[in-house]
Amino acid sequence: MKDYIEANKERFFEELFSLLRIPSVSSAEKHGPDMERCAARLAVLLKEAGADRAEVCPTKGHPVVFGQKIVDPSLSTVLVYGHYDVQPVDPIELWKSDPFEPEIRDGAIYARGANDDKGQLFMHLKAFEYMLRSGRLRHNVKFIFEGEEEIGSPSLAEWAEEHRELLSADVILVSDTTMISERVPSINCGMRGLSYIEVKVTGPDKDLHSGHYGGAVANPINVLCDIISSLTDGDGRITVPGFYDDVEELSEEDRARLARAPFDLGEYKKFLGIMEVKGEKGYTTIERTGIRPCLDVNGIWGGFTGEGAKTVLPSEAHAKISMRLVPHQDSRKITDLVERHLLSSAPDYVRVEVKKHHGGNGFLIPISSDAYQAASRAMQEVYGTEPVPSRGGGSIPVLADLQKILGIDPLLMGFGLERDTIHSPNESYLLSQLFKGMESIALFYEYFH
Amino acid sequence: MKDYIEANKERFFEELFSLLRIPSVSSAEKHGPDMERCAARLAVLLKEAGADRAEVCPTKGHPVVFGQKIVDPSLSTVLVYGHYDVQPVDPIELWKSDPFEPEIRDGAIYARGANDDKGQLFMHLKAFEYMLRSGRLRHNVKFIFEGEEEIGSPSLAEWAEEHRELLSADVILVSDTTMISERVPSINCGMRGLSYIEVKVTGPDKDLHSGHYGGAVANPINVLCDIISSLTDGDGRITVPGFYDDVEELSEEDRARLARAPFDLGEYKKFLGIMEVKGEKGYTTIERTGIRPCLDVNGIWGGFTGEGAKTVLPSEAHAKISMRLVPHQDSRKITDLVERHLLSSAPDYVRVEVKKHHGGNGFLIPISSDAYQAASRAMQEVYGTEPVPSRGGGSIPVLADLQKILGIDPLLMGFGLERDTIHSPNESYLLSQLFKGMESIALFYEYFH
């Protein structure tokens, strides 16, 4: 497919950039019309690539884009999953170029969604187009692109339940993850789940002068800090009773296999600009992000945050807190557990409220499957080395649901790299990975039966 | 002076409102021109009230307004201190009317600065005007109004050093505090000092995906919460080594006298909308705000604070933290102590930076002084009951400096009430207090020799 890429490169950029220019931020209400526009544009691109059916399907939330090409019902079927929504762009001031005006610099595309997931799903459109136009496609291919992955996919599971037949396939093929490095390709064979809550602590019913009341009235920011601090202990373990009950403990053998993945702690720290790593006692960095749960405050706010010094004892303090889960922790159960813990341990001098955001379960994929073997062979051919099976720290909550609803295992062929800084300012995607991804996917079709 | 107020009420409102309409927020750079405008307007009002000298004096920061009326150099001199700067107005959405368009509702003026301190300093202008015009003034009167009280008065002390002679007087008369209630007038005979710092915690040098790195890389928000939580212990005491070294411990007798001030805990909680008070173990609510130091987070921010759920492991987290100090804690010493403590105990997986904002020392005023006795007599006549000597929890850091530089004790005749919610949305000032304040000040001139 190399020649095909070379011959069509400029058109590819135009098509991908037309997606990247649409600010499809699923979490912000004001971007509703952009979600519609982006879904419509994707359906057009599906048609142009050769799908004989491509439609924008309404859901309770943002629409799902469905497309398919049925070559021959007796052939096996690949269901490609991707998402066209993106993360918010703030802090916007740290972007070197407009997040929604893609730019190619130093061999990479810079834009929100360049990798996650518009860039990665685009590889599937073009690999499919190539296979079809070159007369090599011997699969039926279905596409399902959702617009709510970044907000926890609240609508897709229900939509999938209602369209089981339409979505029937032999594998769910997904490119929405990273590989270890360009020299060390890897295939994710497990992802973490997610619980996400928002906590509001209310003290006095109005902002107070901190001189008149400081010392006598509980300050909700101080209390929120106490609560957050108490959620983990000195060993980096989460203190919520029952939190670890269902955590899968890996055998020494499994841990040894994970440890074989090349990992340079010095490079890792240098890339992140940190002096030291920090995590749960008794586990390596790879284990801490792969097989262990964790708790992070994703945002916190309260009181006076402007320039200068204001002596206020604020009425409210807020935090967004998420937990990454591992098999076999159940997202709902954990969210309920944490909510109960927070509410029951709330001191009587403040009011604590918990709002639940969407979460999802983690999952595991057997490396013995035909799909994994085909992906491994394809990537080995493109990268010149056998991909390492790895465990991803991130979450694609809906995949565990789809796996359950459709009875099909997902396969995670991700071509992102750490350097792409997805979810952060200056998200990018290397052209070399974009093209190698297309080649690997095309070869996957050759080897998967 | 009652009749004088009645006859001139509408003009009084016009004059006061002309000050309140100027957004003289000293902490925000963009309001620089408003500070100049407000100072100039005050000088005009001083002239109109009868000062034979009124000028706007430049300082390193916002200007000082000086005015005086020398009746006879052999008479005793009253130096009136006030400030024309105000606190920021956010959260602006909680204001029921424009903070800079004063409105009279339910017998009170609503505006930023209605009480603190434009409303209170205005009483002095009008009491002075009345005494002068009615031919009763038998004092020299000097006025010093600064524009930096809300940001810690960084320039006034130096300006006062350079103008010692000009400022020579027998008492510093100040209305910038509250009294217990309309039925229980009180005179502050001590205030707390202030230390104010801003803490920045930096983890990775960019925002990260919390799935890919969560559990392996320290989250600066979590670390900031740990730091803040560790600054106080379960008994509500501040844990910074050496913090309590210079704290004045009151005798049982002094504590018993303080306890005599009427205080209804039920009313207090009801007014604040809280179920329980919270503070240092072993002290009453009045003691916690009057004679004990405390630590409050005045603002905190970091990560994603928008709508929805973003899974980010942020690069930075920030907090504004202030401590109220008591005699004989030294503000600079305490600020240095806390900075050293934070820097030396910072873990190696983050970078901690401390920025010092301006602070000031607390002070005490002897109730045996002529000035206190005159104020007490004046207020007893207006309110029909003898004022209680109290200890204010707030800080007017510059007063301790002025006391030291000029060798004169301040006297705090404050007419604010808790209900005025200064520093908060919907700041207000009761008309009854505005007018009773004017009457009390006019009588103070009668009784002070």
Side-chain angles (χ1 to χ4, degrees), chain A residues 27-30 87-91 94 112 116 150-151 176-178 191-192 194 196 198 203-219 221-230 232 268 270-280 284-286 288-289 292-314 317-318 320 322 324 348-351 355 357-358 392-395 418-419 421-425, chain B residues 27-30 87-91 94 112 116 150-151 176-178 191-192 194 196 198 203-219 221-230 232 268 270-280 284-286 288-289 292-314 317-318 320 322 324 348-351 355 357-358 392-395 418-419 421-425:
Chain A
S27 62
E29 252 174 65
K30 66 169 179 176
Q87 282 277 325
V89 295
D90 34 18
L94 297 183
R112 171 57 85 228
D116 181 17
E150 301 293 2
I151 54 171
D176 190 23
T177 52
T178 56
M191 297 205 77
R192 294 197 282 187
L194 181 72
Y196 201 121
E198 200 164 314
D205 60 9
K206 51 193 149 298
D207 284 2
L208 302 177
H209 186 296
S210 72
H212 298 172
Y213 298 95
V217 176
N219 180 318
I221 304 181
N222 289 73
V223 175
L224 178 61
C225 290
D226 289 343
I227 289 173
I228 289 170
S229 188
S230 76
T232 49
Y268 186 81
K270 200 174 140 195
F271 171 72
L272 298 172
I274 53 175
M275 298 291 290
E276 265 317 324
V277 292
K278 161 110 199 305
E280 188 182 352
T284 66
T285 291
I286 287 182
R288 285 166 175 175
T289 59
R292 299 300 296 173
C294 64
L295 180 146
D296 272 286
V297 183
N298 303 107
I300 194 165
W301 68 103
F304 178 68
T305 59
E307 178 194 345
K310 187 179 174 189
T311 47
V312 63
L313 193 168
H318 306 256
K320 291 176 194 272
S322 68
R324 297 287 166 170
D348 53 2
Y349 39 80
V350 293
R351 205 167 67 243
K355 179 180 162 184
H357 285 287
H358 291 283
S395 310
E418 262 177 12
R419 63 162 298 289
T421 64
I422 65 168
H423 291 208
S424 301
Chain B
S27 62
E29 254 175 62
K30 66 169 180 174
Q87 282 277 325
V89 296
D90 34 19
L94 297 184
R112 172 56 88 226
D116 182 16
E150 300 294 2
I151 54 172
D176 191 21
T177 52
T178 56
M191 297 204 77
R192 293 197 284 188
L194 181 73
Y196 202 119
E198 199 162 315
D205 59 10
K206 50 193 151 297
D207 283 3
L208 302 176
H209 186 297
S210 72
H212 297 172
Y213 298 96
V217 176
N219 181 320
I221 303 180
N222 289 73
V223 176
L224 178 60
C225 290
D226 290 342
I227 289 173
I228 289 169
S229 187
S230 76
T232 48
Y268 186 81
K270 197 174 144 198
F271 171 71
L272 299 172
I274 54 176
M275 297 292 289
E276 264 317 322
V277 292
K278 160 109 196 308
E280 188 181 351
T284 66
T285 292
I286 287 182
R288 285 165 176 175
T289 58
R292 299 300 297 173
C294 65
L295 180 147
D296 273 285
V297 183
N298 304 108
I300 193 164
W301 68 103
F304 179 68
T305 58
E307 180 193 344
K310 188 180 175 190
T311 48
V312 63
L313 194 167
H318 305 256
K320 292 176 194 272
S322 68
R324 296 287 166 170
D348 52 3
Y349 40 79
V350 293
R351 206 167 68 243
K355 179 179 161 187
H357 285 289
H358 291 282
S395 309
E418 262 176 15
R419 64 163 295 290
T421 65
I422 64 169
H423 291 209
S424 301

Side-chain angles (χ1 to χ4, degrees), chain A residues 236-270:
Chain A
R237 282 176 70 89
I238 294 154
T239 57
V240 178
F243 186 88
Y244 289 93
D245 282 359
D246 300 324
V247 168
E248 178 204 43
E249 294 289 343
L250 262 67
S251 66
E252 282 308 313
E253 203 184 326
D254 283 342
R255 291 182 70 180
R257 189 162 50 221
L258 270 178
R260 259 185 255 132
F263 177 74
D264 184 328
L265 188 60
E267 280 295 315
Y268 186 81
K269 292 194 285 191
K270 200 174 140 195

Side-chain angles (χ1 to χ4, degrees), chain B residues 119-333:
Chain B
Q120 293 218 58
L121 71 78
F122 186 72
M123 302 180 307
H124 287 273
L125 291 183
K126 296 301 108 175
F128 162 71
E129 177 188 299
Y130 164 73
M131 293 299 287
L132 188 68
R133 293 201 187 167
S134 62
R136 312 165 80 90
L137 187 65
R138 276 192 258 313
H139 294 82
N140 302 307
V141 186
K142 296 177 178 180
F143 296 91
I144 184 172
F145 297 135
E146 69 158 321
E148 303 187 316
E149 197 274 341
E150 300 294 2
I151 54 172
S153 307
S155 314
L156 184 58
E158 192 180 314
W159 191 86
E161 289 267 19
E162 290 163 4
H163 298 82
R164 265 175 213 240
E165 200 136 337
L166 187 68
L167 299 176
S168 69
D170 297 284
V171 67
I172 306 174
L173 189 57
V174 184
S175 294
D176 191 21
T177 52
T178 56
M179 52 167 60
I180 294 171
S181 80
E182 279 183 276
R183 273 171 303 177
V184 185
S186 58
I187 299 175
N188 264 332
C189 46
M191 297 204 77
R192 293 197 284 188
L194 181 73
S195 275
Y196 202 119
I197 57 166
E198 199 162 315
V199 180
K200 177 181 173 186
V201 176
T202 308
D205 59 10
K206 50 193 151 297
D207 283 3
L208 302 176
H209 186 297
S210 72
H212 297 172
Y213 298 96
V217 176
N219 181 320
I221 303 180
N222 289 73
V223 176
L224 178 60
C225 290
D226 290 342
I227 289 173
I228 289 169
S229 187
S230 76
L231 285 175
T232 48
D233 67 15
D235 290 340
R237 283 176 68 89
I238 294 154
T239 57
V240 178
F243 185 88
Y244 289 93
D245 282 359
D246 301 324
V247 168
E248 179 203 43
E249 293 289 344
L250 262 67
S251 65
E252 282 310 312
E253 201 186 326
D254 283 342
R255 292 181 68 180
R257 189 160 50 218
L258 271 178
R260 259 183 259 134
F263 177 75
D264 184 328
L265 188 60
E267 280 296 315
Y268 186 81
K269 292 195 286 192
K270 197 174 144 198
F271 171 71
L272 299 172
I274 54 176
M275 297 292 289
E276 264 317 322
V277 292
K278 160 109 196 308
E280 188 181 351
K281 206 174 156 181
Y283 293 91
T284 66
T285 292
I286 287 182
E287 289 173 334
R288 285 165 176 175
T289 58
I291 61 166
R292 299 300 297 173
C294 65
L295 180 147
D296 273 285
V297 183
N298 304 108
I300 193 164
W301 68 103
F304 179 68
T305 58
E307 180 193 344
K310 188 180 175 190
T311 48
V312 63
L313 194 167
S315 170
E316 298 174 3
H318 305 256
K320 292 176 194 272
I321 302 173
S322 68
M323 286 141 286
R324 296 287 166 170
L325 311 178
V326 295
H328 306 276
Q329 288 182 294
D330 181 75
S331 168
R332 273 171 215 213
K333 188 175 153 191

